[in-house]
Every structure is written in C-alpha cells, then in structure tokens.
Amino acid sequence: MEISKIRSDWNFEDASAIYNQPLLTLVYEASRIHRDYHEPNEVQVCTLLSVKTGGCPEDCGYCPQAARYHTDVSAQNLLSVDEVVTAATRAKQAGSTRFCMGAAWREVKDNTDFDNVLEMISQVSDMGLEVCGTLGMATENQLQKMKAAGLHAYNHNVDTSEDFYGDIISTRNYDDRLETLNNTRNANVTICSGGIIGMGESDMDRIKMLLTLARLDKHPESVPINALVSIEGTPLENQAPVSSWEMVRMIATARIMMPASMVRLSAGRTEMSPEAQALCFMAGANSIFSGDKLLTTPNPSLGEDEQLFSDLGLYPRPAYRTEKMNCSPTN
Ligand code: SAM
Ligand code: DTB
Ligand code: SF4
C-alpha cells in the first residue's frame, strides 16, 4: 500500500471524519501509518525537570504553578547549573535521551536567569541528550541564542482550540502562542506543541486543536498529548477525569494527521492501566516521560515503566533520531 502523504491542507471535515471513526478502525489506521514512519516497538524515554517552579504571573486554569491559585506548589528560584546537570546525568543513566527543562515564566526575559538557562542548555546538550526548553513566550532572538547554546526543541503548547482558549487562560491569547511557535521555527529550533484534554472542551475543540497543529506549513516535530492532572486550588480542580479511550482517540488522530511527528503520551499516565498505555502505543504514541515526577505532579515510577517496556517488548529510542524525519508536506 502507498505510504500516506504528509499534508498541511487538512480541513475540519477531514479531521472530524478521522476522529469520529469507531475506535478500533481508527487505531488500525493510525497503527498502519505509524509503521510507515516509525519503528513500532521503539519509544523515546524523556525526563522533565522544573528548573524554576511556581510563582507564575499567568492564569492558566489548569496550572498548579500560577501564583494566584492556592495550591501545594511553593515558588522557588531558578535551580543552579550544577543541580540541573546532576539531574540530567541521573536521567541519562536511567535511559532518557531527551531532557526537558520547564520554567514557570510568562516569557523569557534577557536577564541573568536567562544567561544561566543558556549555560544549562549548553552543558546538558554536551552530554548527548536532546535538550528541550519550555520557558513561556520567547522572541526569535532569544530562541537563536538558545539554539546556539545547543537547544534542540522548544515546547510551547497551544493547549486547546482557539475558541476555547479564552475559557482557560486570560493573560495571553492564541496568537501569542502561535507567534512563539513561529519564532521557534525561524530560529531553526524544532517545535514541540500539543495540548491537554479533560479541561471541559468539546470534541470539536479537540479536533480544532489538532487542526491548528496539522495545518502549520511544517508540522511540529513533537506533539505532546496530556490528560489534565486536576489540581486542588486551581479553577479546574473538579474536572471529571478523562477516560483512556479519549486519550487513545486523540493520539490516533494526531498520528494520522501528523505521520512523521513524535506523538508523546504525556501527563496523565498515573491514571492509565498498562493495557490502556499499550493501546496508546498501538495508536501511534512513541514517547513517554519517565521518572516519578513530571514538573510538579506524580508520574509512574521507573520500575513500573521498566515492567511495561519488558511486558510489551519495547525498547528506548536513541537521541537525535529526528534527523531522519521530515515533517514538511509531501507533494
Ligand atoms: N510556563 C511555560 C508555558 O506555559 O508555556 C512552560 C511550562 S508549562 C507548565 C508547560 C505545559 O504543561 C503547559 O503548556 C500545559 O500544557 C502543561 N500542563 C501544565 N499543568 C498541567 C496539568 N495540570 N495537567 C496537564 N498538563 C499541564
Ligand atoms: C507537556 O506537554 N507536558 C509536560 C511538558 N510538556 C512540559 C508537562 C506536564 C505538566 C503536568 C503538570 C505538572 O507536573 O506540573
Ligand atoms: Fe503554568 Fe506556564 Fe501558565 Fe505559568 S504560563 S501558569 S507555568 S502553564
């Protein structure tokens, strides 16, 4: 069968028809496309580290790190370069090939904290890890500096549809988000952008979010799909948990629409059975975060994930395999 093409001309009807298929038909199609572009038994293991926690001025309704909500997270200053290198060394020893540093900032500022982050990027990149940063809004110039320091990817999630965005966040708008993604592309840093399900959005919002990403001239090289981790003290504290079927549906649709991208099964795995996670891998997820903490919330333990990999016969993906991928449309 002919290999599926990479397209940026998706419309709502196309995306909706894919998303609304019976689940097993959807997973079958996603799995077939997954095999055209990826090794089906290879899953990248990534580690997150919050290098600057809490005290954020933004009002993202899901986030435990927003200063205005009363959550268990207390604000901390930027970690030292040594602390970050120690964490990255541990992550590498535990099998991670990608290391993502998160900061609870609205935007990157040109100050000494940023100089320190550049040094962190440089040292972690010298260890052979793919370095990803998620530091809020950033200019092209700042991204160029991070690129020169060794940054491989910048994570900046669109989170949901443009229509629903204002229900979740009021301190910035969708265009701000898209601008940073554009700056990332222009600085030649790979894009990591996805979203969260379970915030009260409709199926239409989920489809529109994937359309925003899949209609970019070049698809994001990396698409994290998160289930909301509902946090006491945030406006979304009482959201009903998403079912695993919804994660599978979202992952499969992302895989079909963005065949060459890494689709990352991100937050929410503590609530998923091994069987449900296996179905996510079948549907095209090829990355997880490992270690018992995401940024501030719990994640399955290393031991549980080793068991999962062993039961399913999965093996970790080496760093920098993205060079082989091309997320641009084929004609
Ligand atoms: N401050 C930066 C920003 O917002 O871009 C970077 C860090 S922020 C914590 C990174 C991403 O984590 C958010 O865009 C959101 O998608 C995800 N996130 C935050 N809190 C979450 C939660 N409670 N459940 C699921 N995902 C969450
Ligand atoms: C992404 O999409 N998910 C990760 C990463 N990008 C930065 C973060 C999930 C955070 C979950 C909430 C927390 O641990 O604070
Ligand atoms: Fe949380 Fe990032 Fe929003 Fe700040 S900008 S509240 S850290 S998601």
Side-chain angles (χ1 to χ4, degrees), residues 26-321:
L26 172 62
V27 170
Y28 180 78
E29 189 186 344
S31 198
R32 187 178 59 72
I33 291 173
H34 187 54
R35 278 156 177 72
D36 286 343
Y37 285 86
H38 306 269
E39 296 290 335
N41 300 308
E42 191 180 84
V43 171
Q44 187 173 30
V45 180
C46 313
T47 296
L48 280 166
L49 178 69
S50 181
V51 300
K52 159 69 185 81
T53 305
C56 184
E58 300 283 83
D59 71 350
C60 312
Y62 47 75
C63 188
Q65 303 197 65
R68 66 191 73 201
Y69 308 137
H70 300 284
T71 69
D72 286 343
V73 173
S74 48
Q76 284 169 17
N77 291 331
L78 188 70
L79 296 183
S80 69
V81 175
D82 281 355
E83 285 171 304
V84 173
V85 169
T86 303
T89 307
R90 235 183 272 129
K92 190 177 173 181
Q93 279 164 358
S96 276
T97 56
R98 187 168 171 114
F99 190 73
C100 179
M101 298 187 260
W105 289 334
R106 169 181 162 76
E107 71 227 321
V108 176
K109 296 195 173 123
D110 296 301
N111 56 18
T112 52
D113 273 0
F114 183 46
D115 294 339
N116 285 323
V117 168
L118 292 175
E119 186 55 31
M120 292 169 191
I121 292 170
S122 164
Q123 294 202 21
V124 177
S125 149
D126 284 348
M127 295 169 57
L129 292 166
E130 291 175 17
V131 184
C132 177
T134 183
L135 315 168
M137 293 181 270
T139 64
E140 191 174 325
N141 182 263
Q142 289 165 336
L143 282 152
Q144 278 164 354
K145 286 183 183 160
M146 291 190 260
K147 168 84 184 175
L151 189 78
H152 181 63
Y154 198 71
N155 166 253
H156 202 64
N157 290 338
V158 294
D159 277 338
T160 187
S161 70
E162 182 165 15
D163 302 342
F164 192 62
Y165 201 72
D167 287 29
I168 302 296
I169 299 153
S170 77
T171 48
R172 55 167 192 264
N173 60 40
Y174 216 64
D175 281 343
D176 293 328
R177 248 16 216 176
L178 296 176
E179 194 178 316
T180 294
L181 293 181
N182 200 29
N183 295 340
T184 306
R185 199 40 100 211
N186 290 342
N188 229 350
V189 171
T190 65
I191 293 179
C192 174
S193 188
I196 307 176
I197 63 170
M199 302 189 294
E201 74 288 340
S202 64
D203 284 330
M204 197 192 279
D205 292 310
R206 293 178 187 176
I207 295 165
K208 284 187 174 174
M209 177 190 102
L210 292 176
L211 267 176
T212 299
L213 300 170
R215 284 180 59 82
L216 291 172
D217 285 342
K218 188 175 179 188
H219 294 162
E221 285 79 1
S222 163
V223 180
I225 304 293
N226 299 275
L228 175 74
V229 184
S230 59
I231 312 280
E232 212 181 307
T234 63
L236 296 182
E237 64 180 351
N238 292 322
Q239 279 298 316
V242 298
S243 87
S244 297
W245 307 126
E246 297 172 273
M247 281 298 268
V248 173
R249 187 175 294 283
M250 201 61 188
I251 285 168
T253 309
R255 168 54 65 228
I256 293 169
M257 293 176 73
M258 294 170 278
S261 305
M262 296 291 294
V263 175
R264 303 188 191 272
L265 169 56
S266 302
R269 286 197 305 120
T270 52
E271 304 306 312
M272 295 176 82
S273 68
E275 292 83 354
Q277 295 181 57
L279 203 49
C280 290
F281 298 134
M282 190 77 192
N286 53 355
S287 164
I288 55 163
F289 287 114
S290 108
D292 48 21
K293 205 155 130 198
L294 291 167
L295 289 171
T296 65
T297 63
N299 194 46
S301 70
L302 219 53
E304 282 171 271
D305 285 340
E306 274 168 11
Q307 187 66 50
L308 183 67
F309 273 47
S310 148
D311 287 342
L312 301 180
L314 301 176
Y315 54 88
R317 181 182 175 109
Y320 292 111
R321 275 282 297 277

